[in-house]
Amino acid sequence: MSSLPLLGAPDKKKPKLTVYTIEECGSCHLKTKHGFKEGDFVHKREGQCHSCKGNLMITMIYAEAVKVS
Amino acid sequence: MVFPLGLFPSDNPILGNPLVSIAIFYGPLALLIIYGQRIQAWMILNDVSRSVGKLKLMKEKGRKEAVEFVTGGSNAKVDEFAPRIDQFLEYFTIMPVDMDPSGVVGKIEHIMTTRDDRMKAEIRKLVPDADPVRASVIENLIEAASALNFIYKVVRHFYLIGKKTSSMFILAQLQMIMPMVLLEADALTGAIDAFKKAQPLGDGIGPMVVGRLMLDDEKKEVARETVYSQTELKGRKVYLLTAKGPAGNVGQPGNGIQKMVEELDIKPNAIIMIDAALKLEGEKTGEIAEGIGAAIGGIGVDRFKIEEVASRHGIPLYAIVIKQSIVDAISVMRKEVAEAGDKTREVMERIIEEKTKEGDKIIIVGVGNSLGVAQ
Ligand SMILES: [Zn+2]
């Protein structure tokens, strides 16, 4: 009843967030994005790149709002 | 007598009576004048009690998640661990007297270190086989759960006092600050989800930017849970300092810098600090701002020490901050913040080029929680 907004409507809707892990190849800088799995951390070495055998490393882990289409 | 708005036909024997129409029209008005405040008080009470209920749910979630994480989901251990965790949630810290403020920072540091030691020892006793990451997650979870517990108890206290004394003004004050309180509690609840999975927090952007530069060099521990390494950048000798990841630590950058400058005899020509900063509502998440001074939050011990060392040795302090809301800072890092990392490094390199010359020594500090960020 109370806490009625004076101007406009309050932002009540929270976007649903999904967490992604971004891997990057040290040589060809190819980026791959997949869902976060437990044990991932930033700067973790993830073996070899599929296309050039360079070293893969996790460069980012972030949450992104899922777009509802 | 005038019939208000001519609503009632004058040929109706009851409604046509002028006294009745006066009663119908002015009755509610009189009621509102006499009982208006009470109705308002009742509405405020309702609103506040709903918020108190929400806080209670959040507090219970915090406790439940902490217990679940410690027991690893096995019900058999709940009876053993739950009472210990409940005890943690009630831990308190008494801040030193500040009537005579000289030397108070040292006392605060001593108390906070003791608290930290005690917490860590208790967690080791509780889960002796936990690796550093897991132990730090438990510590962070308990910290968040006890903050939620504290918020709930304080709000409930004022709510009950307001109800008991039927003081609308206590309740109204509570209602006024409630949106801020709920925002903070929301942030803590979001933090719990990130802690559990050891995902990097928004606050981890400092350790992320600095940690990237430390990857190939030898890391030495310079203060509790704080590491440094040395490298070469744009012809300058660069010393990088940050909390030790991927466990959830903030380290002791104050002690670290002090030791590097005064004991290890690294006399830097500049100190650059990279940290997350709270944005004002309306500012963009992930915006980068530059400034002067020690960019570090917390209770103030580290900032004090860094300012002391810097001013004693005449070292300029440069700050780069990445803006985010309180919720973003302690929940999983947002995309905008993670993507600001590269730009932050560009800004840092520009400051190095503009403010120092080749051959200079520079200390670069990545301030923040290193959860889920290695170096
Ligand atoms: Zn590659």
Side-chain angles (χ1 to χ4, degrees):
Chain A
M1 248 325 260
S2 42
S3 322
L4 282 176
L6 291 175
L7 292 165
D11 308 331
K12 276 276 158 66
K13 261 187 267 161
K14 266 190 231 154
K16 180 108 185 62
L17 295 176
T18 315
V19 182
Y20 294 103
T21 298
I22 312 296
E23 284 171 3
E24 196 176 328
C25 169
S27 337
C28 70
H29 297 285
L30 182 79
K31 284 185 189 175
T32 45
K33 177 174 175 179
H34 59 78
F36 174 86
K37 53 184 193 303
E38 227 145 291
D40 282 359
F41 58 82
V42 176
H43 302 151
K44 185 185 183 188
R45 319 272 170 160
E46 289 271 80
Q48 286 190 328
C49 172
H50 300 296
S51 54
C52 78
K53 302 272 182 276
N55 289 321
L56 277 180
M57 187 179 73
I58 296 177
T59 52
M60 282 192 256
I61 293 173
Y62 58 67
E64 193 179 11
V66 189
K67 284 185 194 83
V68 189
S69 51
Chain B
M1 194 66 231
V2 185
F3 294 113
L5 303 171
L7 279 175
F8 310 119
S10 50
D11 53 351
N12 185 309
I14 299 167
L15 292 179
N17 185 334
L19 281 176
V20 172
S21 36
I22 286 171
I24 288 174
F25 204 76
Y26 293 103
L29 210 63
L31 216 69
L32 277 182
I33 289 168
I34 300 167
Y35 293 109
Q37 210 187 26
R38 259 169 212 242
I39 293 169
Q40 202 184 358
W42 176 77
M43 271 165 48
I44 291 174
L45 191 72
N46 243 346
D47 191 42
V48 171
S49 98
R50 229 188 356 253
S51 303
V52 172
K54 249 189 242 168
L55 286 172
K56 189 174 180 201
L57 285 181
M58 288 178 183
K59 167 210 117 176
E60 273 159 10
K61 182 190 169 194
R63 176 189 175 272
K64 200 180 115 232
E65 300 273 14
V67 172
E68 260 177 29
F69 191 84
V70 171
T71 58
S74 91
N75 281 326
K77 291 185 189 159
V78 169
D79 291 339
E80 182 193 341
F81 287 131
R84 294 290 301 122
I85 289 171
D86 285 335
Q87 221 171 347
F88 281 146
L89 299 187
E90 299 294 330
Y91 263 18
F92 57 86
T93 308
I94 301 168
M95 280 297 155
V97 173
D98 54 4
M99 280 187 291
D100 183 15
S102 147
V104 80
V105 175
K107 290 182 200 163
I108 293 177
E109 190 193 10
H110 171 66
I111 284 182
M112 296 320 277
T113 315
T114 314
R115 171 174 173 258
D116 212 44
D117 284 343
R118 168 119 201 235
M119 190 77 151
K120 287 204 164 73
E122 296 278 351
I123 288 170
R124 251 198 318 278
K125 223 163 69 190
L126 208 62
V127 254
D129 52 345
D131 59 83
V133 175
R134 195 174 148 80
S136 77
V137 167
I138 294 175
E139 195 182 334
N140 281 317
L141 274 177
I142 289 178
E143 203 120 347
S146 77
L148 282 169
N149 187 42
F150 182 72
I151 291 176
Y152 167 67
K153 286 211 295 189
V154 171
V155 169
R156 184 185 59 180
H157 167 77
F158 285 107
Y159 166 68
L160 291 176
I161 292 260
K163 225 168 122 173
K164 202 167 168 182
T165 57
S166 7
S167 160
M168 187 177 111
F169 297 101
I170 291 177
L171 292 169
Q173 285 188 59
L174 204 53
Q175 191 198 24
M176 282 175 214
I177 60 160
M178 202 55 100
M180 297 294 164
V181 174
L182 284 175
L183 204 69
E184 190 121 338
D186 251 350
L188 285 164
T189 322
I192 287 171
D193 293 329
F195 288 154
K196 259 190 337 193
K197 295 181 191 146
Q199 291 165 336
L201 310 177
D203 188 36
I205 185 73
M208 187 173 128
V209 172
V210 172
R212 177 89 32 107
L213 301 168
M214 298 171 78
L215 287 173
D216 303 321
D217 302 300
E218 187 203 351
K219 269 80 63 180
K220 293 184 203 138
E221 190 143 352
V222 67
R224 177 189 293 220
E225 288 145 9
T226 312
V227 288
Y228 88 99
S229 73
Q230 193 222 309
T231 185
E232 203 69 24
L233 196 71
K234 308 240 167 235
R236 281 82 164 163
K237 224 176 180 178
V238 172
Y239 296 86
L240 301 149
L241 178 99
T242 192
K244 192 175 177 182
N249 297 315
V250 287
Q252 296 183 330
N255 285 342
I257 293 180
Q258 204 165 42
K259 194 166 160 201
M260 284 165 88
V261 175
E262 286 175 351
E263 285 176 38
L264 304 178
D265 220 28
I266 301 162
K267 293 279 176 285
N269 302 78
I271 297 176
I272 302 175
M273 301 186 71
I274 303 171
D275 192 10
L278 284 193
K279 70 176 183 107
L280 295 172
E281 211 51 58
E283 282 184 311
K284 268 222 289 284
T285 300
E287 216 172 67
I288 299 167
E290 291 171 58
I292 301 292
I296 183 164
I299 208 156
V301 173
D302 287 288
R303 201 165 99 202
F304 178 84
K305 290 196 168 183
I306 295 167
E307 286 165 354
E308 268 256 301
V309 176
S311 66
R312 195 162 27 199
H313 297 269
I315 309 163
L317 278 168
Y318 300 107
I320 307 170
V321 298
I322 299 95
K323 305 247 179 110
Q324 43 197 299
S325 72
I326 167 104
V327 178
D328 295 339
I330 60 174
S331 323
V332 190
M333 188 182 286
R334 296 298 297 257
K335 187 180 185 197
E336 296 88 335
V337 175
E339 284 178 344
D342 290 332
K343 222 181 128 204
T344 306
R345 195 155 54 246
E346 281 165 28
V347 172
M348 183 190 85
E349 283 172 10
R350 203 194 67 232
I351 293 179
I352 290 175
E353 279 175 337
E354 283 173 3
K355 306 294 176 194
T356 64
K357 48 188 190 305
E358 278 188 34
D360 276 1
K361 289 180 187 168
I362 306 161
I363 294 181
I364 300 175
V365 194
V367 180
N369 191 317
S370 60
L371 185 67
V373 183
Q375 56 277 136

